[in-house]
């Protein structure tokens, strides 16, 4: 007989089955048209979101620089703001976002593994406590005491959460 009976939260099993969330997991899984559109969007995003594209845009923009210089200071400012910065920074910003997304995926995976390790350790602690419960029950019996079992009953909030997730 154990004094304590642990009831694991259902989210633990679901979390192990699902694994960490990654950016690639957010891709559309809909009908053929949606999947095609997603693939085209990813292809274009990868192409435009590269430093090579930023370099190509910069070279392309330099074609109109001589005309902007001949137009005076206002034309140069307009060229920098409306032509050069918009095209070149678009690609550079997308490269930065790709780097940030990759870092986010790594953090998500590390957090997932940390949580899994913590749950593993907690499970071992529960086993250790169960073994102690057996010894305490024997001691209580030898002293003529009747230990009362304690069952891990969720609070109202936890019960509601289990009903929603289960």
């Amino acid at each position: 007989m154990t004094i304590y009976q642990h009831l694991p939260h259902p989210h633990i099993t679901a979390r192990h089955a699902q694994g960490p969330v990654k950016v690639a997991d957010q891709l559309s899984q809909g009908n053929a048209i949606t999947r095609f559109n997603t693939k085209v969007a990813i292809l274009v995003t990868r192409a435009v979101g590269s430093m090579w594209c930023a370099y190509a845009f910069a070279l392309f923009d330099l074609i109109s620089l001589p005309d902007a210089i001949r137009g005076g200071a206002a034309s140069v400012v307009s060229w920098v703001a409306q032509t050069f910065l918009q095209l070149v920074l678009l690609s550079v910003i997308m490269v930065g976002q790709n780097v940030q997304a990759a870092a986010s995926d790594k953090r998500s995976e590390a957090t997932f593994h940390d949580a899994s390790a913590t749950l593993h350790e907690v499970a071992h602690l529960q086993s250790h406590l169960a073994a102690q419960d057996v010894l305490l029950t024997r001691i209580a019996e030898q002293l003529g005491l009747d230990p009362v079992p304690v069952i891990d009953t969720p609070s109202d909030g936890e019960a509601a959460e289990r009903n929603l997730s289960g």
Side-chain angles (χ1 to χ4, degrees), residues 134-162:
V134 170
L135 292 174
L136 289 172
T137 301
R138 287 184 194 159
I139 293 168
E141 287 172 353
Q142 288 181 356
L143 295 175
L145 300 173
D146 187 22
V148 179
V150 176
I151 297 180
D152 182 13
T153 56
S155 66
D156 291 340
E158 289 174 337
E161 183 181 326
R162 285 185 185 180

Side-chain angles (χ1 to χ4, degrees), residues 30-108:
N31 61 35
I33 294 171
T34 304
R35 288 191 311 269
F36 173 78
N37 289 339
T38 300
K39 287 180 183 179
V40 169
I42 289 171
L43 182 66
V44 170
T45 300
R46 284 186 182 148
V48 174
S50 70
M51 286 307 296
W52 292 113
C53 188
Y55 300 142
F57 283 166
L59 291 174
F60 181 75
D61 287 346
L62 290 175
I63 293 170
S64 63
L65 179 60
D67 289 335
I69 292 171
R70 273 183 249 135
S75 291
V76 171
V77 169
S78 177
W79 176 84
V80 169
Q82 294 177 1
T83 305
F84 191 79
L85 289 180
Q86 286 184 11
L87 279 178
V88 175
L89 285 182
L90 168 74
S91 293
V92 173
I93 289 169
M94 290 176 70
V95 169
Q97 288 177 331
N98 291 339
V99 170
Q100 289 175 337
S104 177
D105 281 351
K106 286 185 178 185
R107 281 191 305 272
S108 172

Side-chain angles (χ1 to χ4, degrees), residues 8-31:
H9 194 281
H11 176 71
I12 294 170
T13 304
R15 192 180 123 308
H16 278 292
Q18 187 176 29
V21 176
K22 296 184 178 180
V23 173
D25 297 336
Q26 307 306 310
L27 300 180
S28 181
Q29 303 292 323
N31 61 35

